[in-house]
Amino acid sequence: MEPLGGVHHVSVREHRTAVDWAEEIKYLVDVMYPDAKKIILVMDNLNTHKPSSMYKRYSPEEARRITKKLEIHYTPKHGSCLDVTEIELNVMTRQCLDRRISDIEELRCELSAWEIERNILAAKVNWHFRTNDARIKLSSLYPAYTTAS
């Protein structure tokens, strides 16, 4: 998901292996953003989500080519990027996955239709959670302070 650009891509796989991840990243680099000089990729710290996974799937030259186009940032455990992703996953769940889906092919069809609709709408996630908002919402974590008069 490109939260500010409104670009979505959904892929359904039977597993979440290093090879699966490498294939998805190659798709990102070669199909979704083939003309980009650098792709800033913000992602979680799953053990298969590492540049070394490319070498499990592709030749060293191809793995290096793909990896060189990426600037990878791993999200902190409580980072707002995770919140943005959770928002989009919640939208997907409510709009598309709110019922029992019998098999993986039906899931692929449903998510493909959802992806097309989200991309036509260029649906964005505009996340703004500023310090003042945090002081109110997370007041137990912020010390109270007073200003001198």
Side-chain angles (χ1 to χ4, degrees):
M1 172 188 65
E2 186 182 333
L4 298 178
V7 177
H8 302 76
H9 172 66
V10 180
S11 177
V12 177
R13 294 185 175 248
E14 296 201 22
H15 306 285
R16 293 184 301 181
T17 67
V19 169
D20 292 316
W21 182 80
E23 290 173 353
E24 290 299 327
I25 296 303
K26 184 176 184 346
Y27 180 86
L28 175 79
V29 167
D30 292 345
V31 177
M32 293 187 73
Y33 300 99
D35 299 326
K37 289 183 176 48
K38 185 68 70 176
I39 298 169
I40 299 172
L41 183 60
V42 180
M43 61 184 184
D44 62 358
N45 279 309
L46 194 62
N47 64 343
T48 58
H49 294 180
K50 307 280 184 228
S52 60
S53 295
M54 295 295 164
Y55 294 87
K56 294 179 180 180
R57 173 62 178 90
Y58 302 109
S59 70
E61 298 78 23
E62 181 67 353
R64 181 73 177 136
R65 180 191 70 80
I66 296 166
T67 304
K68 283 184 75 164
K69 288 192 78 173
L70 303 175
E71 181 181 317
I72 297 175
H73 297 272
Y74 294 100
T75 57
K77 194 172 190 177
H78 301 293
S80 62
C81 289
L82 288 174
D83 296 330
V84 169
T85 303
E86 290 295 328
I87 289 168
E88 191 65 16
L89 286 172
N90 186 285
V91 170
M92 181 175 59
T93 300
R94 283 185 290 113
Q95 292 179 347
C96 185
L97 305 175
D98 59 346
R99 66 201 178 288
R100 181 155 175 78
I101 297 177
S102 60
D103 59 55
I104 197 165
E105 285 309 314
E106 182 182 354
L107 178 62
R108 284 186 175 120
C109 288
E110 293 291 328
L111 286 174
S112 177
W114 180 82
E115 175 186 321
I116 290 166
E117 182 178 338
R118 296 293 282 174
N119 284 332
I120 288 170
L121 295 171
K124 300 174 185 166
V125 175
N126 194 1
W127 174 257
H128 293 287
F129 193 65
R130 296 183 175 85
T131 303
N132 287 338
D133 299 328
R135 289 192 187 283
I136 294 165
K137 185 146 180 102
L138 307 170
S139 61
S140 64
L141 300 176
Y142 284 91
Y145 67 95
T146 57
T147 56
S149 28

